[in-house]
């Protein structure tokens, strides 16, 4: 029950666009293993929904093929595909009771009413929906509607489960609960799933692997750790979380590490993307929480020194912006447990350093 | 260009995967072409190709006749004036009901609805009975002879009374959709009631008013019943002249030429309304209409508006009471004592017309309703080549005056392969294709509100397009379906302009029968036929609503709140 997308492209006609067309997805390749949950993550309009609709069959790709469980289903209409979708708007049938909504797929398969009822009640139990069989959909809360939509999709035991921003209509707290819930159910049933979101934390929570998209193209595919710590390019590094890019020059290249000269100091960095050779200008990707701040007095092994220009105290963390001479953007740093580490005042001068293990190199694009 | 072609091909490929859908689309297309477009084409062809050769001589001859030119000008003038006064009265009603807290609102609303559910020539009939030669007011009360009620003034009055309810319904919707919070905001900023009305309410309603006026113009231009009774020979009206050319002079080409001339302004204004003015409408609220707490009208203005509404309401009431009384009066005007003779006549000699009308309306209405829903579904939800064509041609019969369609039908279906004249079928087909737009409009309106992903969810769960339509789409369209049904039933029961060309000795209609009673001076019979007709319509509406609320509970009960 794996899913394979081969060279998928989708071009829409669009009269409002100057060129008359929109490339929603371009040259998209992805293989999803059985039972795996993959998230499509990217800015608005990057083609996530379109990709999902191509898998479910609601859109036919302009070029390319869709394979599900080793079968080419590119030309198979959506009602004949073994996929189930959880819609952003839930798409609960307003004229049917909760029970009938959930049992709709089984009814279509021609199951007997008693068996459908039994099965529906079983799944309602798992989804914390007991006692709601006869309710009308408009008598449910947002979270309950969401669970009904999920139950309706899961009851058919589809080979592939598709989610299009299923939590975006919920409030923040419920969203956090539900994403854990979704992950729990997906793992319990071991259903191959594709999940669309533009919420990075959601993507991190629910997925085995994340596909970062931009402008219809795949930017990177990887585990949440890889996406965050080893971004393949500038876009991914910048899109996921907050980041500092620190310029430097590769002065020594070996199989294991690249030595980067930062002016005041050199470091051996063991993680990088693409081809980097000696003499290349490189960017070092460092997350704000990987930076170490300390007072300048009596130290000389720092990356650079600067002046604190902004401080934000959040309780568990303190966030700083540090202006460094010669750098365009101020450095962002996050300090955990600030009570232990100590506070810095605005205007104070600090030295900034990092552990090479927490950094990642990209070749600087000119 | 190449791109567009491949898209069309892709769309075609998509449909062929769903054979049922393909067949439905093809059948509907063919039907629209044969029963809507072909008759119109025949009208145009006959007026420019009378002997198989292209010539403008018939058209020229028609235009050069002073009398017929006058008919055109009269029609356009009558249309414009009715549009203006009808929209004015409609706006006063709508504004008073939505923006003041006067008493008798329900009563005013009901009164304004009655003309919509009754035959359009009731106004004319009643005016004759009140102000005509034997008129109750002119003769019985005032003893006047030779009062000139035929012609311009009488007709304008009848048309305004007949058509202002259409404006009222539209404008009420418009005013309700202008959020009272906007007016509150303006008042809050220090505007006086009049300032707020003229700077906020009125400008926001302008597109709606324009739209209502255009609709009224088209409907008046197309109207046939009132002018046939009231226009008289001094004040020729285009639709009546076209009819007289054909039934009186047997001059088909000239009748067709007049129909053609009538078609041009109707179609132009219709598309102006549909594709231009209606696009300009503002939507200031979404969701439920906010309960307005009317504040912008001062007490003096409020009571002035109340008096105006009351006056008009009483006029309408007078019209209907006159008809009712006329139905029971021995000889209207000279002996107004009561009798059941006219009803005996209707249920005896005249009963065939009643039966025929019921059969025709009863058969054509559900077919038109379902067809309308299917077309609405295709237009809103499916992609296929020719979709635009389907939408425009199916809505065309709204724009085309009944007279033109009637002439088109006798031209198109009096020879093989479509030899239909004089049959039940021609009346049924005519009614079905004339009244599908009603269903299409309410269907598309409701479908546009239904999130497409609800249907996609059904498909996703394994339903094919047939099952999705039956199990999901159709139930969601039930309210639209039934309000379309009621409306097309009313139209079918009260239709005259096209039908008058298509009736025969074997299939007659009540409306046509009423006309011939009026023509032969039997006003009592005409009145009692009218009373029966209105009663049938009211019973049918109540019945449908009752059934619906039994079957669908709250959902059904909200259907057509008239
Ligand atoms: N039916 C369509 N016709 C024309 N253009 C379309 C259509 N559907 C999507 N597009 C365009 O394709 C691009 C990708 O759209 P898509 O809905 O896949 O984005 P998305 O990543 O899901 O965005 P969001 O996060 O806002 O939901 C957009 O530029 C969109 O305008
Ligand atoms: Mg989307």
């Amino acid at each position: 029950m794996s899913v394979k997308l081969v060279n998928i492209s989708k071009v829409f006609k669009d009269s409002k666009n100057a060129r008359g067309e929109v490339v929603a997805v371009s040259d998209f390749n992805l293989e999803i293993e059985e039972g795996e949950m993959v998230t499509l993550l990217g800015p608005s309009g990057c083609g996530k929904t379109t990709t999902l609709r191509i898998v479910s069959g609601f859109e036919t790709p302009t070029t390319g093929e869709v394979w599900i469980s080793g079968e080419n289903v590119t030309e198979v209409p959506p009602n004949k595909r073994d996929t189930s979708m959880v819609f952003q708007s839930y798409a609960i049938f307003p004229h049917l009771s909760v029970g009938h909504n959930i049992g709709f797929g089984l009814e279509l398969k021609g199951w007997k009413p008693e068996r459908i009822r039994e099965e529906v009640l079983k799944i309602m139990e798992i989804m914390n929906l007991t006692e709601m069989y006869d309710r009308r959909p408009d008598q449910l809360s947002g979270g309950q509607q969401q669970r009904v939509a999920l139950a309706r999709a899961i009851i058919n035991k589809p080979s592939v489960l598709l989610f299009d921003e299923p939590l975006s209509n919920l409030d923040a707290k419920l969203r956090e609960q539900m994403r854990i819930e979704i992950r729990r159910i997906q793992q319990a049933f071991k259903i191959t799933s594709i999940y669309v979101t533009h919420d990075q934390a959601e993507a991190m929570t629910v997925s085995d692997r994340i596909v970062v998209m931009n402008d219809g193209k795949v930017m990177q595919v990887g585990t949440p750790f890889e996406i965050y710590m080893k971004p393949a390019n500038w876009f991914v590094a910048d899109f996921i979380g907050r980041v500092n890019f620190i310029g430097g020059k590769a002065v020594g290249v070996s199989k294991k590490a690249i030595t980067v000269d930062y002016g005041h100091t050199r470091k051996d960095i063991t993680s990088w993307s693409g081809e980097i050779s000696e003499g290349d200008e490189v960017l070092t990707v460092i997350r704000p929480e990987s930076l170490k701040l300390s007072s300048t007095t009596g130290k000389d092994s720092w990356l650079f020194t600067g002046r604190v220009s902004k401080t934000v105290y959040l309780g568990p963390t303190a966030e700083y912006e540090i202006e460094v001479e010669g750098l365009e953007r101020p450095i962002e740093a996050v300090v955990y447990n600030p009570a232990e580490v100590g506070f810095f005042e605005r205007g104070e001068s600090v030295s900034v350093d990092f552990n090479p293990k927490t950094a990642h190199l990209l070749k600087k694009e000119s | 260009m190449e791109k567009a072609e491949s898209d069309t091909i892709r769309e075609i490929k998509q449909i062929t995967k769903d054979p049922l859908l393909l067949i439905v689309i093809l059948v509907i297309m063919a039907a629209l072409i044969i029963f809507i477009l072909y008759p119109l084409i025949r009208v145009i062809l006959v007026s420019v190709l009378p002997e198989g050769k292209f010539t403008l001589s018939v058209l020229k001859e028609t235009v050069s006749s002073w009398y017929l030119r006058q008919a055109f000008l009269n029609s356009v003038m009558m249309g414009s004036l009715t549009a203006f006064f009808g929209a004015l009265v409609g706006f006063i009603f709508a504004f008073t009901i939505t923006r003041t807290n006067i008493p008798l609102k329900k009563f005013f609303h009901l009164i304004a609805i009655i003309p919509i559910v009754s035959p359009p020539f009731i106004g004319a009939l009643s005016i004759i009975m009140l102000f005509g030669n034997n008129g109750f007011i002119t003769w019985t009360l005032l003893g006047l002879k030779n009062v000139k009620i035929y012609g311009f003034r009488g007709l304008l009055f009848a048309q305004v009374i007949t058509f202002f309810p259409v404006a009222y319904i539209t404008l009420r919707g418009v005013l309700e959709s202008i959020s009272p919070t906007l007016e509150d905001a303006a008042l809050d900023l220090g505007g006086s009631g009049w300032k707020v009305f003229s700077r906020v309410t009125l400008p926001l309603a302008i597109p709606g008013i324009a739209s209502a006026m255009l609709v009224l113009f088209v409907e008046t231009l197309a109207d046939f019943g009132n002018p046939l009774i009231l226009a008289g020979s001094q004040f020729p009206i285009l639709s009546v002249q076209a009819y007289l050319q054909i039934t009186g002079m047997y001059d088909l080409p000239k009748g067709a030429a007049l129909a053609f001339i009538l078609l041009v302004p109707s179609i132009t204004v219709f598309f102006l309304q549909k594709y231009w003015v209606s696009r300009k409408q503002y939507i200031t609220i979404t969701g439920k209409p906010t309960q307005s707490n009317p504040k912008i009208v001062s007490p003096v203005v409020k009571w002035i508006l109340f008096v105006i509404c009351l006056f008009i309401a009483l006029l309408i009431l007078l019209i209907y009471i006159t008809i009712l009384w006329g139905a029971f009066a021995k000889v209207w005007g000279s002996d107004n004592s009561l009798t059941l003779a006219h009803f005996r006549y209707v249920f005896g000699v005249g009963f065939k017309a009643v039966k025929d009308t019921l059969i025709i309306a009863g058969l054509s209405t559900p077919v038109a309703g379902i067809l309308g829903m299917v077309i609405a579904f295709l237009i809103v939800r499916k992609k296929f080549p020719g979709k635009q064509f389907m939408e425009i041609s199916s809505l065309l019969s709204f724009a085309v005056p009944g007279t033109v369609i009637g002439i088109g039908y006798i031209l198109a279906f009096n020879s093989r392969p479509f030899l239909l004249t004089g049959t039940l079928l021609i009346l049924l087909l005519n009614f079905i294709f004339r009244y599908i737009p009603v269903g299409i409009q309410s269907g598309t309106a409701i479908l546009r509100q239904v999130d497409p992903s609800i249907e996609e969810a059904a498909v996703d769960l394994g339903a094919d397009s047939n099952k999705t339509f039956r199990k999901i789409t159709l139930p969601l369209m039930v309210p639209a379906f039934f309000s379309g049904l009621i409306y097309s039933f009313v139209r079918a029961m009260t239709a005259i302009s096209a039908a008058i060309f298509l009736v025969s000795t074997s299939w007659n209609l009540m409306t046509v029968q009423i006309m011939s009673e009026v023509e032969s001076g039997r006003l009592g019979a005409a009145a009692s036929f009218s009373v029966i007709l209105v009663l049938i319509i009211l019973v049918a509406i109540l019945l449908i609503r009752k059934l619906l609320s039994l079957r669908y509970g709250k959902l059904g009960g909200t259907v057509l709140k008239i």
Side-chain angles (χ1 to χ4, degrees):
Chain A
M1 321 223 182
S2 58
V3 176
K4 203 164 79 180
L5 300 176
V6 187
N7 294 329
I8 298 281
S9 297
K10 178 72 190 178
V11 182
F12 285 112
K13 256 191 309 190
D14 182 1
S15 46
K16 283 175 216 96
N17 190 295
R19 272 178 305 137
E21 53 185 46
V22 179
V23 182
V25 178
S26 117
D27 211 17
F28 192 103
N29 285 289
L30 182 65
E31 249 180 89
I32 303 171
E33 277 161 35
E34 188 171 338
E36 193 183 20
M37 183 136 175
V38 167
T39 297
L40 307 182
L41 178 66
S44 187
C46 71
K48 305 179 294 285
T49 298
T50 307
T51 309
L52 207 65
R53 289 172 63 83
I54 286 172
V55 177
S56 62
F58 287 112
E59 303 283 358
T60 322
T62 312
T63 61
E65 291 170 358
V66 181
W67 293 71
I68 295 177
S69 311
E71 212 180 309
N72 184 344
V73 296
T74 317
E75 298 288 324
V76 177
N79 52 326
K80 305 262 165 64
R81 284 192 199 186
D82 200 7
T83 58
S84 275
M85 183 117 154
V86 180
F87 292 84
Q88 175 172 1
S89 53
Y90 314 144
I92 294 175
F93 309 129
H95 60 302
L96 300 181
S97 69
V98 168
H100 280 108
N101 259 285
I102 298 177
F104 189 81
L106 300 180
E107 201 184 306
L108 287 173
K109 283 185 188 152
W111 283 33
K112 285 209 187 65
E114 313 86 68
R115 261 189 80 204
I116 297 179
R117 197 185 158 88
E118 211 174 287
E119 192 73 17
V120 169
L121 287 174
K122 216 158 62 190
I123 201 134
M124 285 176 78
E125 174 110 29
I126 302 174
M127 306 293 286
N128 287 329
L129 285 168
T130 32
E131 318 272 298
M132 307 222 172
Y133 193 92
D134 289 316
R135 286 251 195 123
R136 285 217 325 271
D138 56 7
Q139 299 167 327
L140 297 181
S141 73
Q144 288 164 341
Q145 290 188 22
Q146 175 61 62
R147 286 200 286 264
V148 171
L150 188 55
R152 186 179 68 184
I154 287 178
I155 200 168
N156 290 311
K157 311 232 158 55
S159 331
V160 187
L161 200 50
L162 305 169
F163 298 87
D164 190 359
E165 307 204 24
L167 305 182
S168 59
N169 288 343
L170 303 179
D171 65 56
K173 191 136 179 252
L174 197 54
R175 209 151 53 207
E176 271 177 44
Q177 270 173 28
M178 281 304 296
R179 66 193 186 207
I180 294 167
E181 192 82 340
I182 286 178
R183 180 60 164 165
R184 178 179 70 83
I185 287 160
Q186 186 265 337
Q187 284 180 328
F189 288 84
K190 294 205 170 42
I191 308 176
T192 313
S193 303
I194 307 180
Y195 191 102
V196 162
T197 180
H198 50 233
D199 180 332
Q200 176 201 327
E202 202 170 297
M204 298 274 200
T205 321
V206 299
S207 25
D208 296 306
R209 281 191 300 156
I210 295 175
V211 179
V212 182
M213 293 179 67
N214 187 33
D215 268 348
K217 293 193 224 14
V218 176
M219 293 281 113
Q220 186 174 3
V221 184
T223 63
F225 180 82
E226 286 166 345
I227 296 285
Y228 189 69
M229 291 311 293
K230 301 179 185 308
N233 48 47
W234 193 89
F235 175 84
V236 176
D238 193 51
F239 182 71
I240 308 289
R242 289 189 293 168
V243 70
N244 296 299
F245 293 108
I246 292 161
K249 191 175 189 153
V251 289
V253 176
S254 74
K255 273 223 167 70
K256 286 226 176 91
I258 293 178
T259 311
V260 180
D261 182 6
Y262 294 104
H264 179 79
T265 172
R266 291 184 172 196
K267 283 183 191 288
D268 290 339
I269 297 187
T270 51
S271 164
W272 64 89
S273 296
E275 291 279 319
I276 294 176
S277 32
E278 221 174 286
D280 281 349
E281 294 285 330
V282 293
L283 286 176
T284 310
V285 176
I286 306 171
R287 300 294 172 183
E289 68 275 12
S290 301
L291 287 175
K292 288 192 284 209
L293 303 185
S294 49
S295 299
T296 33
T297 43
K299 268 210 165 186
D300 56 4
S301 74
W302 33 261
L303 183 63
F304 33 62
T305 59
R307 197 167 289 282
V308 176
S309 61
K310 192 172 146 196
T311 69
V312 178
Y313 176 67
L314 288 173
T317 61
E319 302 184 0
Y320 300 99
E321 274 183 23
I322 298 144
E323 280 183 13
V324 175
E325 224 170 288
L327 287 189
E328 246 171 68
R329 280 212 271 179
I331 297 281
E332 290 182 52
V334 173
V335 174
Y336 283 85
N337 199 1
E340 187 181 344
V341 179
F343 297 104
F344 302 98
E345 300 292 331
R346 256 190 77 192
E348 196 174 327
S349 75
V350 288
S351 64
V352 181
D353 204 356
F354 66 91
N355 179 342
K357 272 203 299 201
T358 62
H360 180 78
L361 291 182
L362 296 175
K363 192 165 157 177
K364 193 169 181 178
E365 287 146 31
S366 41
Chain B
M1 214 53 246
E2 213 178 286
K3 192 84 225 160
E5 231 171 69
S6 75
D7 276 324
T8 315
I9 290 169
R10 192 144 6 100
E11 280 174 6
I12 293 174
K13 245 172 67 189
Q14 201 80 35
I15 316 171
T16 49
K17 273 190 231 154
D18 198 338
L20 181 68
L21 185 66
L22 181 68
I23 291 170
V24 169
I25 289 175
L26 288 179
V27 168
I28 288 177
M29 288 281 202
L32 292 176
I33 291 173
I34 297 173
F35 297 111
I36 293 180
L37 292 184
Y38 177 58
L40 291 183
I41 292 168
R42 289 290 304 181
V43 167
I44 297 168
L45 284 185
V46 169
S47 50
V48 297
L49 292 168
E51 264 112 36
K53 284 200 309 276
F54 177 77
T55 164
L56 288 176
S57 62
V58 180
L59 272 179
K60 246 190 222 142
E61 199 185 312
T62 311
V63 175
S64 66
S65 150
W66 172 84
Y67 191 67
L68 296 180
R69 219 164 50 221
Q70 197 57 43
F72 177 77
L73 293 178
N74 287 345
S75 282
V76 172
M77 178 174 74
M78 189 53 66
S80 315
L81 289 174
T82 307
F84 178 77
F85 287 110
L88 183 67
V89 175
F91 185 82
I92 292 175
F93 256 71
F95 183 81
T96 311
I97 288 180
T98 55
R99 290 295 192 275
T100 68
N101 55 356
I102 50 151
L104 297 183
K105 272 192 194 180
K106 270 248 160 68
F107 167 73
F108 288 146
H109 177 72
L110 224 64
I111 287 286
I113 290 300
I114 292 179
I116 292 186
V117 297
S118 49
F121 45 77
I122 286 258
L125 179 56
S126 181
I127 285 172
I128 298 246
M129 294 170 77
L130 286 170
F131 302 100
N133 279 340
N134 283 330
F136 179 72
I137 292 179
T138 43
W139 171 238
T140 315
L141 289 184
L142 304 175
L144 299 172
K145 273 256 173 226
N146 294 326
V147 183
K148 272 192 64 188
I149 188 61
Y150 294 93
F152 171 71
R153 267 180 311 162
L155 184 55
L156 180 60
F157 177 68
Q159 295 295 42
V160 171
I161 291 293
T162 307
F163 290 114
F164 95 85
V166 178
Y168 160 68
I169 299 264
T170 319
L171 293 174
R172 184 180 168 150
V174 170
L175 285 175
E176 270 171 355
S177 74
I178 296 174
S179 169
T181 46
L182 284 179
E183 285 162 6
D184 290 351
L187 279 175
D188 195 48
L189 294 171
S192 66
W194 167 250
K195 264 247 169 68
V196 172
F197 173 77
S198 63
R199 301 286 296 279
V200 178
T201 318
L202 194 59
L204 284 172
I206 284 284
I209 295 174
S211 176
M213 282 174 67
L214 294 181
V215 170
L216 252 52
F217 178 81
V218 172
E219 294 220 10
T220 313
L221 205 61
D223 187 49
F224 178 78
N226 281 335
L228 185 63
I229 296 179
L230 268 182
S233 54
Q234 301 296 311
F235 192 74
I237 284 286
L238 207 50
S239 57
V240 174
Q241 291 309 314
Y243 168 71
L244 292 179
Q245 288 293 336
I246 287 176
T247 54
M249 326 251 189
Y250 303 103
D251 190 343
L252 264 177
K254 204 178 241 169
L258 284 173
F260 182 34
I261 293 170
L262 184 57
L263 192 58
V264 176
S266 308
I267 298 261
T268 317
V269 170
F270 175 78
F271 282 100
L272 196 68
Q273 191 272 333
K274 180 152 175 48
Y275 290 100
W276 184 58
V277 178
S278 63
R279 290 281 151 87
K280 292 210 178 304
Q281 257 154 50
Y282 305 97
I283 294 166
T284 58
I285 54 163
T286 48
K288 278 190 223 154
T290 332
Q291 198 54 47
S292 91
N293 196 1
K295 295 173 210 76
I296 69 167
V297 178
S298 70
V300 179
V301 176
K302 184 178 101 180
W303 291 111
I304 293 176
L305 289 172
F306 177 75
V307 169
I308 296 176
C309 288
L310 191 65
F311 177 69
I312 293 166
L314 291 179
L315 265 182
I316 295 173
L317 218 52
L318 177 66
I319 283 176
Y320 282 83
I321 290 172
T322 306
I323 299 279
L324 196 62
W325 189 3
F328 289 100
K330 255 193 194 123
V331 183
W332 181 255
S334 30
D335 180 1
N336 286 348
S337 57
L338 303 183
T339 170
L340 283 177
H342 303 308
F343 284 99
R344 249 176 262 131
Y345 169 77
V346 171
F347 284 104
V349 188
F351 196 66
K352 182 168 165 34
V354 179
K355 205 182 70 198
D356 288 357
T357 307
L358 279 175
I359 292 175
I360 292 164
L363 286 177
S364 61
T365 305
V367 179
I370 292 173
L371 198 57
M373 291 305 113
V374 174
I375 293 179
F377 172 70
L378 293 175
I379 289 174
V380 178
R381 289 290 197 254
K382 295 288 164 187
K383 277 193 206 139
F384 54 93
K387 182 165 123 168
Q388 188 106 27
F389 169 80
M390 179 184 280
E391 179 171 13
I392 291 178
S393 56
S394 62
L395 289 179
L396 206 56
S397 30
F398 254 163
V400 178
T403 314
V404 182
I405 279 280
I407 294 173
Y409 265 56
I410 52 172
L411 291 175
F413 303 123
N414 66 350
S415 60
R416 288 177 195 291
F418 305 114
L419 184 54
L420 299 174
T421 26
T423 61
L424 169 63
L425 195 60
I426 195 170
L427 280 159
L428 287 181
L429 287 167
N430 179 265
F431 279 28
I432 290 169
F433 286 94
R434 257 182 94 54
Y435 303 129
I436 41 171
V438 181
I440 295 176
Q441 288 215 318
S442 42
T444 42
I446 209 158
L447 267 185
R448 296 221 156 95
Q449 288 167 14
V450 174
D451 185 348
S453 55
I454 289 182
E455 286 154 275
E456 285 180 358
V459 174
D460 194 53
L461 294 170
D464 58 18
S465 59
N466 174 28
K467 277 225 175 77
T468 309
F469 185 72
R470 273 186 12 234
K471 294 202 145 192
I472 305 296
T473 318
L474 210 50
L476 291 175
M477 292 170 94
V478 158
F481 175 69
F482 281 100
S483 62
L485 209 60
I486 289 176
Y487 199 57
S488 43
F489 182 76
V490 172
R491 301 272 292 224
M493 289 296 294
T494 58
I496 177 138
S497 52
I500 202 166
F501 293 94
L502 306 176
V503 293
S504 56
T505 43
S506 26
W507 292 99
N508 197 6
L509 288 171
M510 289 173 83
T511 49
V512 178
Q513 189 61 35
I514 295 171
M515 281 298 169
S516 74
E517 303 293 351
V518 174
E519 248 170 281
S520 40
R522 286 196 294 268
L523 293 181
S528 46
F529 261 117
S530 303
V531 169
I532 301 281
L533 187 52
V534 173
L535 278 183
I536 293 176
I537 291 171
L538 290 179
V539 168
I541 292 179
L542 291 180
L543 214 64
I544 293 181
R545 286 176 62 179
K546 187 79 206 160
L547 281 178
L548 261 182
S549 58
L550 284 183
R551 175 93 173 69
Y552 291 98
K554 227 174 95 199
L555 185 67
T558 60
V559 170
L560 198 70
K561 282 215 210 85
I562 65 173

